[in-house]
Amino acid sequence: MTAPLDEKLEPIYQDVLRRNPGETEFHQAVREVLETLGPVLVKYPEFAEHKVIQRICEPERQIIFRVPWEDDKGETHINRAFRVEFNSALGPYKGGLRFHPSVYLGIIKFLGFEQVFKNSLTGLPIGGGKGGSDFDPKGRSDSEIMRFCQSLMTELYRHLGEYTDVPAGDIGVGQREIGYLFGQYKRITNRYESAVFTGKGLDWGGSRARREATGYGTVYFVHEMLKARSEELDGKTCIVSGSGNVAIYAMQKAMQLGAKVIACSDSSGMVVDEKGIDLKLVRRIKEVERRRISVYAEEKKGARYIEDGNIWTIPCDVALPCATQNELTAKDAKKLVEQGCIAVAEGANMPTTPEGIRIFKDAGIAFGPGKAANAGGVATSALEMQQNASRDSWTFEFTEKRLEEIMVNIHNDCFETADEFGEPDNYVVGANIAGFLRVSRAMVAMGLI
Ligand code: NDP
């Protein structure tokens, strides 16, 4: 069951459905935003006049291309890659690349659409875009990954530039992949254009705290939501889905702020460790050895591994979905609420289904949507671009401080905007409207573009 749309917005949504058939994740992301924009059109009728919403729902440019590459046995493979340059009203397109077999245009468009609002919320000069490929990096050797990245960049490079489009990582794309991609970009263009990629290694233009930023930022956001309710993270029990980049550093910051993290997962199953997750072990298994999370229970006495286990059945105070889209359903949301969960913040993009979000809202628990709660990653990417532009390198402490300030500002902006539009405590409404207003004002100011 979805909420009805404002009468001005329903035809816009119908048009999105008609023009983008079969792209269900994109439809979901658009609908979730449109459901909250009715009051904005009442207050600011000029946005309807200038057809800003119709324009925001249509990417400025979409690039789809073939990526041929050879595996270690000499066999040829063909993948498909995408870059959706969604909106550049606030700055160059900015958003990650995802390598996962589930990737198709609808996933990249949902991510690009979300990115526009998220980047706007950071208050930094970055537009929104996203890209990726249906390539599956799992089980591939470093040389195979390198050949794939080089082939992809041989086409993608012509669309990038520090003032045009600046990719970063996402699922399946970490520092190793960014290295191969940046290396090929540099080789083809004969330019050391550091700010054309973010998430780089520290020796070659990367920012301290970028690796940690998304997970840390998500926890700062949940911390602020709890503070607004006179609660704190200290002493709370926490569960985190995933065990990739976002999940690992969300666990780390949650632990630093006094929470006890008792479960995490990967796409094969979950581990529960009532004594508290041993993060050093998770990092070794995932970051160094690139193995499955099941290894954790083999090596840790007292920990349980549950194949295909549903992490949302584990009782907790705070839940942080940090794996992938639509991983937390209505049934999961009900279970979390029943078992006493008081706060959820999305480290991943759109991990909660619309029905799940409604259950959290009705139960009155603090819910931080990904657009706001995981914006720390892209914000720190924009800080990386700043450092590259000024040939500077900031300390970890300074960068983390900036990240924390940005997350506090995003929280307050969402909180105050929700209040202003008559939906106190509704961070979904606050994030959508605050993100929308900044992009829309810029679009109107720039004329019909
Ligand atoms: P990683 O590839 O580092 O980790 C992804 C994790 O999620 C892995 O544990 C993976 O398990 C699990 N996962 C992926 N797909 C599925 C699936 N279909 N079902 C169950 N589990 C799955 O990615 P990130 O940590 O970078 O990204 C996680 C989420 O955070 C994504 O939604 C991403 O868009 C979002 N995000 C990331 C940012 C960043 O800075 N990296 C910034 C903002 C948002 P397995 O290894 O088994 O596949």
Side-chain angles (χ1 to χ4, degrees):
M1 267 293 289
T2 47
L5 287 177
D6 176 278
E7 58 175 19
K8 283 207 183 74
L9 295 166
E10 182 63 38
I12 299 177
Y13 181 62
Q14 289 306 322
D15 218 33
V16 168
L17 295 182
R18 187 182 58 76
R19 292 162 73 104
N20 306 279
E23 297 176 0
T24 50
E25 296 83 1
F26 179 49
H27 303 162
Q28 182 184 335
V30 170
R31 184 165 185 113
E32 190 253 347
V33 169
L34 296 192
E35 280 179 9
T36 59
L37 292 185
V40 181
L41 294 187
V42 175
K43 194 162 178 183
Y44 303 103
E46 64 271 28
F47 293 141
E49 214 177 285
H50 290 278
K51 295 214 162 50
V52 169
I53 299 180
Q54 290 91 326
R55 284 193 275 151
I56 277 189
C57 292
E58 181 67 21
E60 289 176 13
R61 189 177 298 113
Q62 305 182 54
I63 301 144
I64 305 180
F65 55 100
R66 179 175 69 200
V67 187
W69 59 281
E70 216 176 71
D71 69 18
D72 288 345
K73 296 192 199 101
E75 194 184 327
T76 296
H77 298 262
I78 313 293
N79 283 97
R80 183 176 288 176
F82 308 85
R83 186 73 185 164
V84 174
E85 298 181 333
F86 227 106
N87 194 302
S88 59
L90 294 176
Y93 309 107
K94 181 88 200 83
L97 294 172
R98 174 177 292 193
F99 292 170
H100 193 272
S102 64
V103 163
Y104 76 107
L105 189 57
I107 296 262
I108 300 301
K109 267 156 82 174
F110 116 65
L111 290 164
F113 182 77
E114 294 261 308
Q115 197 83 46
V116 174
F117 295 84
K118 181 189 309 190
N119 294 5
S120 166
L121 278 175
T122 67
L124 297 164
I126 38 178
K130 198 82 188 189
S133 171
D134 56 5
F135 170 70
D136 188 357
K138 261 193 216 112
R140 292 291 173 193
S141 68
D142 285 355
S143 338
E144 289 174 321
I145 301 278
M146 181 183 74
R147 283 196 294 277
F148 175 79
C149 289
Q150 289 181 339
S151 179
L152 182 139
M153 188 47 71
T154 303
E155 172 59 32
L156 188 63
Y157 85 95
R158 65 188 91 243
H159 305 288
L160 307 183
E162 75 174 285
Y163 297 108
T164 314
D165 187 349
V166 182
D170 190 80
I171 291 180
V173 179
Q175 212 175 86
R176 172 182 59 169
E177 291 73 19
I178 299 286
Y180 296 144
L181 291 162
F182 180 68
Q184 184 73 348
Y185 180 88
K186 184 176 80 58
R187 184 182 181 200
I188 297 175
T189 59
N190 194 29
R191 282 166 67 85
Y192 204 106
E193 207 180 326
S194 297
V196 78
F197 261 99
T198 60
K200 299 182 292 293
L202 288 183
D203 293 330
W204 40 283
S207 163
R208 287 182 179 78
R210 174 60 190 91
R211 184 183 58 174
E212 291 81 358
T214 309
Y216 276 25
T218 302
V219 174
Y220 283 133
F221 195 89
V222 88
H223 187 57
E224 290 304 308
M225 290 200 301
L226 288 172
K227 264 179 26 197
R229 296 171 168 230
S230 308
E231 289 270 7
E232 56 182 357
L233 204 52
D234 192 18
K236 298 284 185 293
T237 301
C238 195
I239 58 175
V240 180
S241 66
S243 49
N245 172 264
V246 179
I248 286 177
Y249 295 96
M251 290 194 263
Q252 187 171 75
K253 184 50 73 182
M255 289 171 190
Q256 283 172 9
L257 295 180
K260 184 177 181 192
V261 181
I262 57 164
C264 65
S265 61
D266 62 17
S267 59
S268 313
M270 64 166 168
V271 286
V272 183
D273 190 343
E274 302 287 353
K275 288 203 198 97
I277 291 284
D278 176 348
L279 197 59
K280 217 165 139 195
L281 179 57
V282 175
R283 289 186 62 187
R284 197 193 81 212
I285 295 167
K286 287 293 176 183
E287 294 183 333
V288 182
E289 299 166 358
R290 297 179 189 275
R291 292 161 80 199
R292 310 305 298 158
I293 201 66
S294 53
V295 174
Y296 184 99
E298 287 163 21
E299 298 200 11
K300 194 83 191 169
K301 228 171 118 205
R304 289 179 286 142
Y305 173 69
I306 304 161
E307 200 174 326
D308 289 330
N310 180 351
I311 195 163
W312 312 121
T313 58
I314 307 294
C316 66
D317 302 309
V318 174
L320 303 176
C322 294
T324 194
Q325 63 276 354
N326 292 327
E327 56 165 312
L328 200 166
T329 64
K331 198 169 152 218
D332 302 328
K334 240 183 242 154
K335 188 84 187 167
L336 283 168
V337 170
E338 271 167 25
Q339 302 202 112
C341 176
I342 59 165
V344 176
E346 296 185 325
N349 284 310
M350 209 169 75
T352 315
T353 62
E355 297 75 21
I357 296 175
R358 217 151 288 134
I359 288 166
F360 290 144
K361 182 178 167 234
D362 292 346
I365 78 163
F367 175 76
K371 271 184 210 85
N374 70 38
V378 75
T380 309
S381 278
L383 302 182
E384 183 171 332
M385 291 162 75
Q386 265 182 47
Q387 291 166 79
N388 294 151
S390 58
R391 305 280 192 269
D392 198 0
S393 173
W394 305 344
T395 61
F396 187 93
E397 291 70 26
F398 180 73
T399 317
E400 197 196 345
K401 192 84 208 121
R402 290 284 313 266
L403 165 67
E404 188 179 358
E405 283 161 11
I406 291 169
M407 293 314 297
V408 171
N409 286 341
I410 294 175
H411 170 271
N412 294 347
D413 200 8
C414 295
F415 188 84
E416 285 157 19
T417 307
D419 227 21
E420 183 189 334
F421 283 84
E423 294 258 4
D425 280 344
N426 189 333
Y427 291 92
V428 173
V429 166
N432 288 346
I433 297 182
F436 173 80
L437 286 177
R438 188 160 173 250
V439 183
S440 302
R441 282 196 295 261
M443 287 174 75
V444 170
M446 288 176 195
L448 194 53
I449 50 165

